[in-house]
Amino acid sequence: MSQTFDVVVIGGGPGGYIAAIRAAQLGFKVACIDEWQNAAGGPAPGGTCTNVGCIPSKALLQSSEHFDHANHHFADHGITATNVKIDIAKMIGRKDTVVKQNNDGILYLFKKNKITFFHGRGSFAKAVETGYEIQVTGAKEELLTARQIIVATGSNARALPGTPFDEETVLSNDGALRIGAVPKKLVLIGSGVIGLEMGSVWRRLGSDVTILEGLPTFLGAVDEQIAKEAKKAFDKQGLKIELGVKVGEIKTSKKGVSVAYTNAKGEAQSLDADKLIVSIGRVPNTIGLNAEAVGLQLDERGAIVVDAECRTNLKGVWAVGDVVRGPMLAHKAEEEGVAVAERIAGQHGHVNFNTIPWVIYTSPEIAWVGETEQQLKARGAAYKAGTFPFLANGRARALGDTTGMVKFLADATTDEILGVHIVGPMASELIAEAVVAMEFKASAEDIARICHAHPSLSEATKEAALAVDKRTLNF
Ligand code: FAD
Ligand code: NAI
């Protein structure tokens, strides 16, 4: 006998659990299936984001930043901190506690919203007159039926061909978040978001870190001026980033790992390290979904094919988050989840892909929304640019962190904001104002005329907006 629901969500990451909550709010009878297990084999909803992504990486970034400040910045404030030590087991334990708080929070939200949670793997059994049958396999076998299915099965780390993750020496994001002792030498392949965030964590804790990047440009998707400023800061910190390399043979042994590569000049090189983190992107995950049983269409990368509104090729089957096209970001997955639940309810759910913010949580933080200067140039847009350095911001001076700038790009004729790019302290929080402004189609002058609290980092945003019209007040 199968249990019948209005909506079954497969996957309990940010895409899935948020879709389930929104669907329940709209009055549907909802089930959510998620297979993630904690160390004790119990349920751990929240997906990659909660278990081995956004949340644990930010916990370690915070701990390592405190350590870095105690070692290198407290003295500026007249604080003596000698013999500063880091207890890695405790730091990892704290991170695990933060993860568990989030897992428990989601289980509580399921209860609060009367969502039936199944801990196990969900897979398509067959299409039936009343929708689809979904088989749940786990501690308990269940058969569910629903007319509406939302697939939110996320993504997995991409391995280098011939070098599988062993999570001991060759680490994905999973192993990178639970290294038991500071590696003397750490190599990362890929200087994207994970490479920079995880490289920063272990460098701050004392590792000699080298990141090998295949592309000749650093952070090609980021505004060039911002990427250049960030690179300068990383170089100063001693985070070694080699661009334009071609990774060759990777050998692991009891002692660690050896990575052969050709550098940008074409010279053969090799690096020995205790650990290797491979952060070369992620692949959509449909393992175990049994997509074939119902003819769910996948593309050549294994992503579920969807239209702009997350509809798959099957009536009543939707897909959201990392398993479909678009940026692999938790907030993008959440917005798609909400929009799909609203569409199922006959409402007009909407996701504006032009205003999805990006944040890299390094120090300095890098955050942006909208188009970069190189993108505007490439499409021949007439634009004006304005920048303001944190060096000239009172709050940044008081904080002792004046690295970086805020940059505004606005339409030359209408003054509409086309992109905002930030490298500097708390860029992750500052970017929200730019997102709101762009959602409301604000002009640079709108931001320039809004009263911003003094002293605050957000004054740099106002000043960058003023800079578009060449009338900064404090620089
Ligand atoms: P996921 O979070 O991957 O969740 C999918 C869930 O479905 C998992 O729990 C999985 O076990 C489950 N599942 C899969 N198949 C089945 C099945 N057949 N049956 C049952 N369950 C199944 N994004 C940000 O926006 N900000 C960040 O700071 C950030 N930091 C990150 C740091 C790291 C190290 C990594 C790896 C990623 C980070 N991301 C970040 C990306 C973010 O984690 C993802 O974009 C987000 O988790 C995608 O959400 P999702 O719901 O699509 O998939
Ligand atoms: P990424 O796409 O950000 O970066 C991968 C990097 O590896 C690229 O620079 C690429 O050129 C390089 N690369 C690819 N193949 C290579 C090879 N063979 N040799 C050398 N370099 C190679 O992917 P990453 O860092 O793995 O992260 C995956 C995704 O997770 C991100 O794209 C992002 O969507 C998400 N994420 C988001 C975070 C955030 O929002 N703060 C934090 C961490 C991850």
Side-chain angles (χ1 to χ4, degrees):
M1 262 285 283
S2 75
Q3 301 185 50
T4 303
F5 293 89
D6 298 320
V7 181
V8 167
V9 183
I10 307 177
Y17 90 79
I18 290 291
I21 291 174
R22 186 70 189 118
Q25 284 176 345
L26 290 163
F28 293 113
K29 186 181 175 199
V30 181
C32 182
I33 313 164
D34 188 84
E35 65 180 345
W36 207 291
Q37 296 187 359
N38 60 24
T48 301
C49 169
T50 300
N51 292 294
V52 291
C54 324
I55 301 297
S57 61
K58 267 80 251 177
L60 296 189
L61 278 156
Q62 191 61 51
S63 299
S64 59
E65 189 163 9
H66 284 320
F67 184 67
D68 191 62
H69 278 208
N71 276 318
H72 302 294
H73 304 291
F74 276 13
D76 299 340
H77 298 263
I79 303 168
T80 308
T82 46
N83 202 18
V84 177
K85 288 197 181 119
I86 178 91
D87 179 338
I88 296 292
K90 188 150 187 189
M91 177 187 80
I92 299 285
R94 174 188 176 274
K95 178 263 300 178
D96 291 340
T97 304
V98 173
V99 168
K100 184 161 186 321
Q101 286 165 347
N102 283 271
N103 296 141
D104 292 347
I106 296 166
L107 288 170
Y108 160 77
L109 290 171
F110 283 153
K111 269 207 187 103
K112 182 184 162 206
N113 289 283
K114 302 192 174 40
I115 294 162
T116 311
F117 174 67
F118 294 92
H119 186 215
R121 172 166 286 185
S123 50
F124 283 100
K126 59 175 188 285
V128 289
E129 212 179 300
T130 49
Y132 298 88
E133 275 183 4
I134 305 294
Q135 181 70 50
V136 183
T137 37
K140 261 172 82 186
E141 301 267 320
E142 310 270 356
L143 193 64
L144 316 182
T145 308
R147 220 173 259 293
Q148 303 288 339
I149 311 292
I150 304 175
V151 181
T153 46
S155 63
N156 292 318
R158 185 151 78 89
L160 278 166
T163 309
F165 297 115
D166 60 22
E167 305 298 2
E168 276 299 318
T169 312
V170 181
L171 314 175
S172 70
N173 55 296
D174 180 5
L177 289 160
R178 50 186 171 85
I179 298 177
V182 180
K184 259 208 182 103
K185 283 194 166 191
L186 175 66
V187 172
L188 296 98
I189 300 178
S191 73
V193 200
I194 296 180
L196 291 171
E197 290 187 358
M198 296 319 298
S200 292
V201 165
W202 295 104
R203 182 206 59 77
R204 290 169 189 168
L205 299 175
S207 266
D208 177 356
V209 176
T210 305
I211 310 181
L212 302 175
E213 166 59 45
L215 292 177
T217 29
F218 177 62
L219 286 179
V222 175
D223 184 272
E224 267 169 28
Q225 192 178 2
I226 297 292
K228 212 165 138 194
E229 193 72 16
K231 179 76 166 48
K232 244 185 348 195
F234 297 142
D235 287 346
K236 207 164 135 195
Q237 291 164 7
L239 189 65
K240 288 173 271 180
I241 302 166
E242 277 211 51
L243 301 174
V245 311
K246 192 167 176 354
V247 174
E249 195 180 4
I250 295 174
K251 284 193 207 147
T252 55
S253 68
K254 276 199 188 116
K255 281 201 293 192
V257 58
S258 150
V259 181
Y261 66 99
T262 313
N263 68 13
K265 291 185 200 144
E267 298 158 344
Q269 306 283 322
S270 121
L271 272 174
D272 294 327
D274 305 283
K275 305 269 182 199
L276 169 69
I277 298 174
V278 178
S279 46
I280 57 167
R282 297 178 62 80
V283 285
N285 169 36
T286 53
I287 300 167
L289 193 60
N290 202 19
E292 323 73 71
V294 286
L296 180 63
Q297 193 188 347
L298 310 183
D299 69 12
E300 62 292 346
R301 291 182 318 126
I304 296 174
V305 177
V306 288
D307 67 7
E309 299 200 320
C310 296
R311 283 186 187 80
T312 69
N313 64 316
L314 302 176
K315 189 167 184 291
V317 180
W318 311 73
V320 302
D322 281 12
V323 77
V324 304
R325 62 17 212 153
M328 288 187 171
L329 294 173
H331 41 284
K332 176 265 193 184
E334 291 181 10
E335 294 304 320
E336 285 183 334
V338 167
V340 163
E342 292 178 351
R343 284 170 197 141
I344 290 173
Q347 299 183 358
H348 299 281
H350 180 66
V351 182
N352 184 355
F353 281 89
N354 297 324
T355 54
I356 294 176
W358 276 85
V359 178
I360 307 178
Y361 294 82
T362 43
S363 178
E365 290 185 345
I366 305 164
W368 71 98
V369 59
E371 290 175 287
T372 60
E373 194 163 354
Q374 62 266 29
Q375 282 174 328
L376 293 176
K377 278 187 185 148
R379 72 171 173 87
Y383 66 91
K384 302 177 284 183
T387 58
F388 188 82
F390 285 107
L391 198 67
N393 174 274
R395 183 76 195 279
R397 286 192 204 116
L399 283 174
D401 189 357
T402 53
T403 317
M405 67 176 88
V406 181
K407 173 172 179 174
F408 263 64
L409 296 165
D411 186 282
T413 317
T414 65
D415 197 37
E416 182 181 340
I417 302 166
L418 302 174
V420 176
H421 306 269
I422 308 174
V423 53
M426 302 308 280
S428 54
E429 301 295 333
L430 295 174
I431 201 66
E433 179 181 8
V435 177
V436 173
M438 285 186 66
E439 270 293 338
F440 284 85
K441 298 221 168 278
S443 62
E445 189 181 352
D446 286 329
I447 298 299
R449 288 195 177 276
I450 290 171
C451 181
H452 288 67
H454 176 76
S456 71
L457 296 170
S458 72
E459 287 173 293
T461 306
K462 177 190 171 97
E463 290 272 9
L466 281 165
V468 167
D469 227 10
K470 301 200 172 25
R471 55 187 190 95
T472 52
L473 297 164
N474 282 288
F475 190 61

